[in-house]
Amino acid sequence: MKKIMIAPSLLSADFNRLAEEIRDVEKAGCDALHIDVMDGHFVPNLTIGPLVVSAIRKVTKLPLDVHLMIDMPSRFMAEFRKAGADWITVHVEAEKDVRGVLQMIKASGAKVGISLRPKTAVEMLFPYLQDLDLILVMSVEPGFGGQSFMPEMMAKVKMLRPKFPGLISVDGGIGVGNASQALEAGADILVAGSAVFGKADRAKAIREFREIFKKF
Ligand code: DX5
Ligand code: ZN
């Protein structure tokens, strides 16, 4: 049985009480904390920078899964690493020299991740499979939490699974109602914002996910 992981996305947390929110999901037994970084260019929203990531680093031992939805992530990658990011994911659409930025991440000692927008063909990732620890398949258009899951994106997971031995994560619109679809396709990690932080009882939310994981 493979280890399936749940990574709550901080985007749906109460930012007034960030430390408590993070401790809450850590105590509830999640596997990583997903942090959505947006620059207002690559996506039409602005969120978290390295300063906040370093503050988060101080309150948790969870792996920090930093999802960079920013143009030219090579400019900021090192700062996020210094701030405490453990896994760094960049978008294949966001950088000209994709291999270059992946090499930078690897050299920094972080786990190397790549992501793709719903409209981007999965074949775009094929040249880089050897360079990656993680592939983050977007199941919503990046930019906002709380959107509807796009089940047709699971075809990308199915295509990648036999070719890629590393971790495949699915991000966007995941809940207990569709988690099985992602897992059947071959996902290892589910990112969930509203389905965890949006619930009053996070421990219960994570337990419900784990019940589903047992079937895989
Ligand atoms: C979307 C982000 C996701 C999002 C997930 O741009 O990458 O991580 O916050 O939130 P939910 O689970 O609410 O779709
Ligand atoms: Zn994300």
Side-chain angles (χ1 to χ4, degrees), residues 167-205:
L167 298 170
I168 301 181
S169 182
V170 176
D171 183 14
I174 291 279
V176 287
N178 53 30
S180 302
Q181 288 180 56
L183 299 174
E184 267 156 25
D188 306 280
I189 305 175
L190 302 185
V191 173
S194 20
V196 174
F197 279 112
K199 299 278 159 67
D201 187 344
R202 282 69 182 269
K204 181 166 168 254

PDB file of all heavy atoms in Angstrom, residues 167-205:
ATOM      1  N   LEU A 167       6.301  11.828  -6.976  1.00  0.00           N
ATOM      2  CA  LEU A 167       5.002  12.136  -6.378  1.00  0.00           C
ATOM      3  C   LEU A 167       4.125  12.928  -7.349  1.00  0.00           C
ATOM      4  O   LEU A 167       4.587  13.883  -7.978  1.00  0.00           O
ATOM      5  CB  LEU A 167       5.193  12.960  -5.104  1.00  0.00           C
ATOM      6  CG  LEU A 167       5.979  12.284  -3.979  1.00  0.00           C
ATOM      7  CD1 LEU A 167       6.314  13.285  -2.880  1.00  0.00           C
ATOM      8  CD2 LEU A 167       5.172  11.114  -3.400  1.00  0.00           C
ATOM      9  N   ILE A 168       2.870  12.519  -7.440  1.00  0.00           N
ATOM     10  CA  ILE A 168       1.897  13.295  -8.223  1.00  0.00           C
ATOM     11  C   ILE A 168       0.862  13.854  -7.250  1.00  0.00           C
ATOM     12  O   ILE A 168       0.268  13.131  -6.452  1.00  0.00           O
ATOM     13  CB  ILE A 168       1.206  12.442  -9.306  1.00  0.00           C
ATOM     14  CG1 ILE A 168       2.249  11.861 -10.270  1.00  0.00           C
ATOM     15  CG2 ILE A 168       0.176  13.285 -10.063  1.00  0.00           C
ATOM     16  CD1 ILE A 168       1.665  11.007 -11.396  1.00  0.00           C
ATOM     17  N   SER A 169       0.711  15.174  -7.325  1.00  0.00           N
ATOM     18  CA  SER A 169      -0.197  15.878  -6.437  1.00  0.00           C
ATOM     19  C   SER A 169      -1.327  16.472  -7.281  1.00  0.00           C
ATOM     20  O   SER A 169      -1.097  16.872  -8.418  1.00  0.00           O
ATOM     21  CB  SER A 169       0.637  16.974  -5.748  1.00  0.00           C
ATOM     22  OG  SER A 169      -0.102  17.701  -4.837  1.00  0.00           O
ATOM     23  N   VAL A 170      -2.523  16.514  -6.728  1.00  0.00           N
ATOM     24  CA  VAL A 170      -3.646  17.139  -7.435  1.00  0.00           C
ATOM     25  C   VAL A 170      -4.117  18.318  -6.595  1.00  0.00           C
ATOM     26  O   VAL A 170      -4.293  18.206  -5.380  1.00  0.00           O
ATOM     27  CB  VAL A 170      -4.787  16.127  -7.693  1.00  0.00           C
ATOM     28  CG1 VAL A 170      -5.983  16.825  -8.339  1.00  0.00           C
ATOM     29  CG2 VAL A 170      -4.308  14.996  -8.599  1.00  0.00           C
ATOM     30  N   ASP A 171      -4.290  19.461  -7.250  1.00  0.00           N
ATOM     31  CA  ASP A 171      -4.561  20.714  -6.542  1.00  0.00           C
ATOM     32  C   ASP A 171      -5.733  21.458  -7.171  1.00  0.00           C
ATOM     33  O   ASP A 171      -5.671  21.855  -8.330  1.00  0.00           O
ATOM     34  CB  ASP A 171      -3.289  21.583  -6.610  1.00  0.00           C
ATOM     35  CG  ASP A 171      -3.421  22.889  -5.837  1.00  0.00           C
ATOM     36  OD1 ASP A 171      -4.370  23.022  -5.047  1.00  0.00           O
ATOM     37  OD2 ASP A 171      -2.551  23.758  -6.023  1.00  0.00           O
ATOM     38  N   GLY A 172      -6.781  21.661  -6.365  1.00  0.00           N
ATOM     39  CA  GLY A 172      -7.897  22.491  -6.786  1.00  0.00           C
ATOM     40  C   GLY A 172      -9.232  21.778  -6.741  1.00  0.00           C
ATOM     41  O   GLY A 172      -9.444  20.794  -7.442  1.00  0.00           O
ATOM     42  N   GLY A 173     -10.104  22.269  -5.859  1.00  0.00           N
ATOM     43  CA  GLY A 173     -11.461  21.743  -5.798  1.00  0.00           C
ATOM     44  C   GLY A 173     -11.593  20.354  -5.223  1.00  0.00           C
ATOM     45  O   GLY A 173     -12.628  19.702  -5.374  1.00  0.00           O
ATOM     46  N   ILE A 174     -10.529  19.883  -4.551  1.00  0.00           N
ATOM     47  CA  ILE A 174     -10.567  18.524  -3.978  1.00  0.00           C
ATOM     48  C   ILE A 174     -11.416  18.507  -2.698  1.00  0.00           C
ATOM     49  O   ILE A 174     -11.303  19.385  -1.849  1.00  0.00           O
ATOM     50  CB  ILE A 174      -9.128  18.044  -3.638  1.00  0.00           C
ATOM     51  CG1 ILE A 174      -8.311  17.806  -4.909  1.00  0.00           C
ATOM     52  CG2 ILE A 174      -9.150  16.804  -2.757  1.00  0.00           C
ATOM     53  CD1 ILE A 174      -8.549  16.481  -5.591  1.00  0.00           C
ATOM     54  N   GLY A 175     -12.242  17.471  -2.595  1.00  0.00           N
ATOM     55  CA  GLY A 175     -13.043  17.252  -1.394  1.00  0.00           C
ATOM     56  C   GLY A 175     -13.272  15.763  -1.231  1.00  0.00           C
ATOM     57  O   GLY A 175     -12.828  14.976  -2.078  1.00  0.00           O
ATOM     58  N   VAL A 176     -13.980  15.379  -0.169  1.00  0.00           N
ATOM     59  CA  VAL A 176     -14.182  13.937   0.029  1.00  0.00           C
ATOM     60  C   VAL A 176     -15.038  13.333  -1.091  1.00  0.00           C
ATOM     61  O   VAL A 176     -14.954  12.145  -1.366  1.00  0.00           O
ATOM     62  CB  VAL A 176     -14.775  13.589   1.419  1.00  0.00           C
ATOM     63  CG1 VAL A 176     -13.732  13.752   2.515  1.00  0.00           C
ATOM     64  CG2 VAL A 176     -15.998  14.416   1.712  1.00  0.00           C
ATOM     65  N   GLY A 177     -15.805  14.153  -1.761  1.00  0.00           N
ATOM     66  CA  GLY A 177     -16.656  13.669  -2.853  1.00  0.00           C
ATOM     67  C   GLY A 177     -15.901  13.297  -4.122  1.00  0.00           C
ATOM     68  O   GLY A 177     -16.398  12.519  -4.929  1.00  0.00           O
ATOM     69  N   ASN A 178     -14.724  13.875  -4.332  1.00  0.00           N
ATOM     70  CA  ASN A 178     -14.005  13.567  -5.577  1.00  0.00           C
ATOM     71  C   ASN A 178     -12.580  13.054  -5.344  1.00  0.00           C
ATOM     72  O   ASN A 178     -11.852  12.784  -6.297  1.00  0.00           O
ATOM     73  CB  ASN A 178     -13.983  14.794  -6.505  1.00  0.00           C
ATOM     74  CG  ASN A 178     -13.448  16.022  -5.787  1.00  0.00           C
ATOM     75  OD1 ASN A 178     -12.621  15.907  -4.891  1.00  0.00           O
ATOM     76  ND2 ASN A 178     -13.925  17.195  -6.177  1.00  0.00           N
ATOM     77  N   ALA A 179     -12.176  12.905  -4.075  1.00  0.00           N
ATOM     78  CA  ALA A 179     -10.817  12.440  -3.763  1.00  0.00           C
ATOM     79  C   ALA A 179     -10.521  11.116  -4.468  1.00  0.00           C
ATOM     80  O   ALA A 179      -9.430  10.924  -5.018  1.00  0.00           O
ATOM     81  CB  ALA A 179     -10.655  12.281  -2.252  1.00  0.00           C
ATOM     82  N   SER A 180     -11.500  10.212  -4.496  1.00  0.00           N
ATOM     83  CA  SER A 180     -11.286   8.898  -5.113  1.00  0.00           C
ATOM     84  C   SER A 180     -10.908   9.010  -6.582  1.00  0.00           C
ATOM     85  O   SER A 180     -10.116   8.215  -7.079  1.00  0.00           O
ATOM     86  CB  SER A 180     -12.547   8.040  -5.026  1.00  0.00           C
ATOM     87  OG  SER A 180     -12.905   7.889  -3.710  1.00  0.00           O
ATOM     88  N   GLN A 181     -11.499   9.986  -7.260  1.00  0.00           N
ATOM     89  CA  GLN A 181     -11.173  10.143  -8.694  1.00  0.00           C
ATOM     90  C   GLN A 181      -9.691  10.438  -8.885  1.00  0.00           C
ATOM     91  O   GLN A 181      -9.051   9.906  -9.793  1.00  0.00           O
ATOM     92  CB  GLN A 181     -11.966  11.296  -9.301  1.00  0.00           C
ATOM     93  CG  GLN A 181     -13.445  11.009  -9.475  1.00  0.00           C
ATOM     94  CD  GLN A 181     -14.155  12.215 -10.096  1.00  0.00           C
ATOM     95  OE1 GLN A 181     -13.790  12.690 -11.165  1.00  0.00           O
ATOM     96  NE2 GLN A 181     -15.161  12.711  -9.398  1.00  0.00           N
ATOM     97  N   ALA A 182      -9.154  11.290  -8.019  1.00  0.00           N
ATOM     98  CA  ALA A 182      -7.729  11.635  -8.119  1.00  0.00           C
ATOM     99  C   ALA A 182      -6.862  10.432  -7.753  1.00  0.00           C
ATOM    100  O   ALA A 182      -5.835  10.180  -8.377  1.00  0.00           O
ATOM    101  CB  ALA A 182      -7.414  12.822  -7.223  1.00  0.00           C
ATOM    102  N   LEU A 183      -7.295   9.686  -6.754  1.00  0.00           N
ATOM    103  CA  LEU A 183      -6.501   8.539  -6.295  1.00  0.00           C
ATOM    104  C   LEU A 183      -6.560   7.385  -7.291  1.00  0.00           C
ATOM    105  O   LEU A 183      -5.550   6.741  -7.553  1.00  0.00           O
ATOM    106  CB  LEU A 183      -6.968   8.099  -4.909  1.00  0.00           C
ATOM    107  CG  LEU A 183      -6.823   9.179  -3.831  1.00  0.00           C
ATOM    108  CD1 LEU A 183      -7.445   8.731  -2.518  1.00  0.00           C
ATOM    109  CD2 LEU A 183      -5.361   9.568  -3.621  1.00  0.00           C
ATOM    110  N   GLU A 184      -7.739   7.172  -7.868  1.00  0.00           N
ATOM    111  CA  GLU A 184      -7.864   6.141  -8.907  1.00  0.00           C
ATOM    112  C   GLU A 184      -6.941   6.440 -10.085  1.00  0.00           C
ATOM    113  O   GLU A 184      -6.368   5.545 -10.692  1.00  0.00           O
ATOM    114  CB  GLU A 184      -9.304   6.072  -9.429  1.00  0.00           C
ATOM    115  CG  GLU A 184     -10.150   5.052  -8.702  1.00  0.00           C
ATOM    116  CD  GLU A 184     -11.640   5.383  -8.796  1.00  0.00           C
ATOM    117  OE1 GLU A 184     -12.058   6.065  -9.754  1.00  0.00           O
ATOM    118  OE2 GLU A 184     -12.371   4.962  -7.870  1.00  0.00           O
ATOM    119  N   ALA A 185      -6.817   7.718 -10.399  1.00  0.00           N
ATOM    120  CA  ALA A 185      -5.960   8.118 -11.522  1.00  0.00           C
ATOM    121  C   ALA A 185      -4.481   7.901 -11.191  1.00  0.00           C
ATOM    122  O   ALA A 185      -3.654   7.796 -12.083  1.00  0.00           O
ATOM    123  CB  ALA A 185      -6.225   9.570 -11.881  1.00  0.00           C
ATOM    124  N   GLY A 186      -4.160   7.868  -9.871  1.00  0.00           N
ATOM    125  CA  GLY A 186      -2.776   7.591  -9.479  1.00  0.00           C
ATOM    126  C   GLY A 186      -2.105   8.665  -8.643  1.00  0.00           C
ATOM    127  O   GLY A 186      -0.881   8.637  -8.477  1.00  0.00           O
ATOM    128  N   ALA A 187      -2.879   9.598  -8.095  1.00  0.00           N
ATOM    129  CA  ALA A 187      -2.280  10.671  -7.292  1.00  0.00           C
ATOM    130  C   ALA A 187      -1.734  10.146  -5.957  1.00  0.00           C
ATOM    131  O   ALA A 187      -2.256   9.173  -5.406  1.00  0.00           O
ATOM    132  CB  ALA A 187      -3.321  11.755  -7.007  1.00  0.00           C
ATOM    133  N   ASP A 188      -0.661  10.799  -5.467  1.00  0.00           N
ATOM    134  CA  ASP A 188      -0.077  10.476  -4.159  1.00  0.00           C
ATOM    135  C   ASP A 188      -0.449  11.516  -3.107  1.00  0.00           C
ATOM    136  O   ASP A 188      -0.455  11.232  -1.912  1.00  0.00           O
ATOM    137  CB  ASP A 188       1.463  10.488  -4.246  1.00  0.00           C
ATOM    138  CG  ASP A 188       1.994   9.586  -5.331  1.00  0.00           C
ATOM    139  OD1 ASP A 188       2.058   8.374  -5.094  1.00  0.00           O
ATOM    140  OD2 ASP A 188       2.330  10.098  -6.424  1.00  0.00           O
ATOM    141  N   ILE A 189      -0.659  12.747  -3.573  1.00  0.00           N
ATOM    142  CA  ILE A 189      -0.913  13.855  -2.645  1.00  0.00           C
ATOM    143  C   ILE A 189      -2.179  14.586  -3.084  1.00  0.00           C
ATOM    144  O   ILE A 189      -2.335  14.885  -4.272  1.00  0.00           O
ATOM    145  CB  ILE A 189       0.248  14.881  -2.653  1.00  0.00           C
ATOM    146  CG1 ILE A 189       1.590  14.196  -2.360  1.00  0.00           C
ATOM    147  CG2 ILE A 189      -0.008  16.000  -1.643  1.00  0.00           C
ATOM    148  CD1 ILE A 189       2.796  15.134  -2.483  1.00  0.00           C
ATOM    149  N   LEU A 190      -3.046  14.866  -2.125  1.00  0.00           N
ATOM    150  CA  LEU A 190      -4.194  15.709  -2.416  1.00  0.00           C
ATOM    151  C   LEU A 190      -4.010  17.031  -1.678  1.00  0.00           C
ATOM    152  O   LEU A 190      -3.773  17.045  -0.468  1.00  0.00           O
ATOM    153  CB  LEU A 190      -5.493  15.037  -1.956  1.00  0.00           C
ATOM    154  CG  LEU A 190      -5.810  13.662  -2.556  1.00  0.00           C
ATOM    155  CD1 LEU A 190      -7.185  13.190  -2.097  1.00  0.00           C
ATOM    156  CD2 LEU A 190      -5.737  13.688  -4.081  1.00  0.00           C
ATOM    157  N   VAL A 191      -4.111  18.113  -2.423  1.00  0.00           N
ATOM    158  CA  VAL A 191      -4.084  19.446  -1.825  1.00  0.00           C
ATOM    159  C   VAL A 191      -5.544  19.837  -1.617  1.00  0.00           C
ATOM    160  O   VAL A 191      -6.356  19.681  -2.527  1.00  0.00           O
ATOM    161  CB  VAL A 191      -3.392  20.453  -2.772  1.00  0.00           C
ATOM    162  CG1 VAL A 191      -3.518  21.874  -2.226  1.00  0.00           C
ATOM    163  CG2 VAL A 191      -1.928  20.074  -2.986  1.00  0.00           C
ATOM    164  N   ALA A 192      -5.867  20.315  -0.434  1.00  0.00           N
ATOM    165  CA  ALA A 192      -7.263  20.710  -0.192  1.00  0.00           C
ATOM    166  C   ALA A 192      -7.308  21.959   0.673  1.00  0.00           C
ATOM    167  O   ALA A 192      -6.797  21.957   1.796  1.00  0.00           O
ATOM    168  CB  ALA A 192      -8.029  19.574   0.474  1.00  0.00           C
ATOM    169  N   GLY A 193      -7.886  23.002   0.138  1.00  0.00           N
ATOM    170  CA  GLY A 193      -8.016  24.260   0.870  1.00  0.00           C
ATOM    171  C   GLY A 193      -9.339  24.331   1.587  1.00  0.00           C
ATOM    172  O   GLY A 193      -9.435  24.080   2.792  1.00  0.00           O
ATOM    173  N   SER A 194     -10.399  24.623   0.839  1.00  0.00           N
ATOM    174  CA  SER A 194     -11.708  24.796   1.474  1.00  0.00           C
ATOM    175  C   SER A 194     -12.195  23.524   2.164  1.00  0.00           C
ATOM    176  O   SER A 194     -12.889  23.614   3.171  1.00  0.00           O
ATOM    177  CB  SER A 194     -12.741  25.301   0.471  1.00  0.00           C
ATOM    178  OG  SER A 194     -12.350  25.055  -0.842  1.00  0.00           O
ATOM    179  N   ALA A 195     -11.804  22.346   1.638  1.00  0.00           N
ATOM    180  CA  ALA A 195     -12.281  21.093   2.234  1.00  0.00           C
ATOM    181  C   ALA A 195     -11.603  20.782   3.575  1.00  0.00           C
ATOM    182  O   ALA A 195     -12.022  19.860   4.277  1.00  0.00           O
ATOM    183  CB  ALA A 195     -12.079  19.931   1.275  1.00  0.00           C
ATOM    184  N   VAL A 196     -10.558  21.544   3.947  1.00  0.00           N
ATOM    185  CA  VAL A 196      -9.949  21.358   5.268  1.00  0.00           C
ATOM    186  C   VAL A 196     -10.091  22.652   6.087  1.00  0.00           C
ATOM    187  O   VAL A 196     -10.801  22.690   7.093  1.00  0.00           O
ATOM    188  CB  VAL A 196      -8.465  20.932   5.177  1.00  0.00           C
ATOM    189  CG1 VAL A 196      -7.840  20.888   6.578  1.00  0.00           C
ATOM    190  CG2 VAL A 196      -8.337  19.560   4.512  1.00  0.00           C
ATOM    191  N   PHE A 197      -9.445  23.719   5.645  1.00  0.00           N
ATOM    192  CA  PHE A 197      -9.504  24.972   6.414  1.00  0.00           C
ATOM    193  C   PHE A 197     -10.903  25.588   6.407  1.00  0.00           C
ATOM    194  O   PHE A 197     -11.252  26.354   7.297  1.00  0.00           O
ATOM    195  CB  PHE A 197      -8.473  25.973   5.885  1.00  0.00           C
ATOM    196  CG  PHE A 197      -7.083  25.724   6.397  1.00  0.00           C
ATOM    197  CD1 PHE A 197      -6.077  25.294   5.545  1.00  0.00           C
ATOM    198  CD2 PHE A 197      -6.779  25.924   7.737  1.00  0.00           C
ATOM    199  CE1 PHE A 197      -4.788  25.069   6.013  1.00  0.00           C
ATOM    200  CE2 PHE A 197      -5.489  25.702   8.219  1.00  0.00           C
ATOM    201  CZ  PHE A 197      -4.498  25.275   7.352  1.00  0.00           C
ATOM    202  N   GLY A 198     -11.689  25.245   5.405  1.00  0.00           N
ATOM    203  CA  GLY A 198     -13.053  25.777   5.338  1.00  0.00           C
ATOM    204  C   GLY A 198     -14.008  25.089   6.310  1.00  0.00           C
ATOM    205  O   GLY A 198     -15.147  25.522   6.479  1.00  0.00           O
ATOM    206  N   LYS A 199     -13.539  24.003   6.929  1.00  0.00           N
ATOM    207  CA  LYS A 199     -14.390  23.262   7.871  1.00  0.00           C
ATOM    208  C   LYS A 199     -14.046  23.653   9.304  1.00  0.00           C
ATOM    209  O   LYS A 199     -12.880  23.941   9.611  1.00  0.00           O
ATOM    210  CB  LYS A 199     -14.175  21.740   7.696  1.00  0.00           C
ATOM    211  CG  LYS A 199     -14.525  21.212   6.306  1.00  0.00           C
ATOM    212  CD  LYS A 199     -16.029  20.980   6.189  1.00  0.00           C
ATOM    213  CE  LYS A 199     -16.524  20.958   4.743  1.00  0.00           C
ATOM    214  NZ  LYS A 199     -16.041  19.819   3.959  1.00  0.00           N
ATOM    215  N   ALA A 200     -15.046  23.639  10.174  1.00  0.00           N
ATOM    216  CA  ALA A 200     -14.798  24.023  11.567  1.00  0.00           C
ATOM    217  C   ALA A 200     -13.906  22.986  12.259  1.00  0.00           C
ATOM    218  O   ALA A 200     -12.992  23.337  13.005  1.00  0.00           O
ATOM    219  CB  ALA A 200     -16.119  24.153  12.303  1.00  0.00           C
ATOM    220  N   ASP A 201     -14.163  21.706  11.990  1.00  0.00           N
ATOM    221  CA  ASP A 201     -13.396  20.633  12.627  1.00  0.00           C
ATOM    222  C   ASP A 201     -12.409  20.043  11.620  1.00  0.00           C
ATOM    223  O   ASP A 201     -12.737  19.163  10.824  1.00  0.00           O
ATOM    224  CB  ASP A 201     -14.372  19.563  13.147  1.00  0.00           C
ATOM    225  CG  ASP A 201     -13.677  18.492  13.974  1.00  0.00           C
ATOM    226  OD1 ASP A 201     -12.426  18.380  13.903  1.00  0.00           O
ATOM    227  OD2 ASP A 201     -14.384  17.749  14.695  1.00  0.00           O
ATOM    228  N   ARG A 202     -11.181  20.525  11.678  1.00  0.00           N
ATOM    229  CA  ARG A 202     -10.177  20.121  10.692  1.00  0.00           C
ATOM    230  C   ARG A 202      -9.741  18.671  10.898  1.00  0.00           C
ATOM    231  O   ARG A 202      -9.420  17.969   9.941  1.00  0.00           O
ATOM    232  CB  ARG A 202      -8.955  21.021  10.760  1.00  0.00           C
ATOM    233  CG  ARG A 202      -9.143  22.369  10.091  1.00  0.00           C
ATOM    234  CD  ARG A 202     -10.118  23.243  10.844  1.00  0.00           C
ATOM    235  NE  ARG A 202     -10.363  24.512  10.209  1.00  0.00           N
ATOM    236  CZ  ARG A 202      -9.657  25.607  10.465  1.00  0.00           C
ATOM    237  NH1 ARG A 202      -8.670  25.583  11.334  1.00  0.00           N
ATOM    238  NH2 ARG A 202      -9.959  26.732   9.850  1.00  0.00           N
ATOM    239  N   ALA A 203      -9.702  18.248  12.171  1.00  0.00           N
ATOM    240  CA  ALA A 203      -9.300  16.869  12.460  1.00  0.00           C
ATOM    241  C   ALA A 203     -10.292  15.909  11.814  1.00  0.00           C
ATOM    242  O   ALA A 203      -9.912  14.902  11.212  1.00  0.00           O
ATOM    243  CB  ALA A 203      -9.225  16.646  13.960  1.00  0.00           C
ATOM    244  N   LYS A 204     -11.567  16.252  11.915  1.00  0.00           N
ATOM    245  CA  LYS A 204     -12.613  15.413  11.313  1.00  0.00           C
ATOM    246  C   LYS A 204     -12.459  15.417   9.791  1.00  0.00           C
ATOM    247  O   LYS A 204     -12.556  14.365   9.142  1.00  0.00           O
ATOM    248  CB  LYS A 204     -13.992  15.953  11.725  1.00  0.00           C
ATOM    249  CG  LYS A 204     -15.146  15.167  11.191  1.00  0.00           C
ATOM    250  CD  LYS A 204     -16.446  15.547  11.922  1.00  0.00           C
ATOM    251  CE  LYS A 204     -17.656  14.985  11.186  1.00  0.00           C
ATOM    252  NZ  LYS A 204     -18.415  16.027  10.466  1.00  0.00           N
ATOM    253  N   ALA A 205     -12.214  16.582   9.233  1.00  0.00           N
ATOM    254  CA  ALA A 205     -12.051  16.685   7.772  1.00  0.00           C
ATOM    255  C   ALA A 205     -10.906  15.781   7.303  1.00  0.00           C
ATOM    256  O   ALA A 205     -11.043  15.040   6.321  1.00  0.00           O
ATOM    257  CB  ALA A 205     -11.799  18.134   7.376  1.00  0.00           C
TER     258      ALA A 205
END
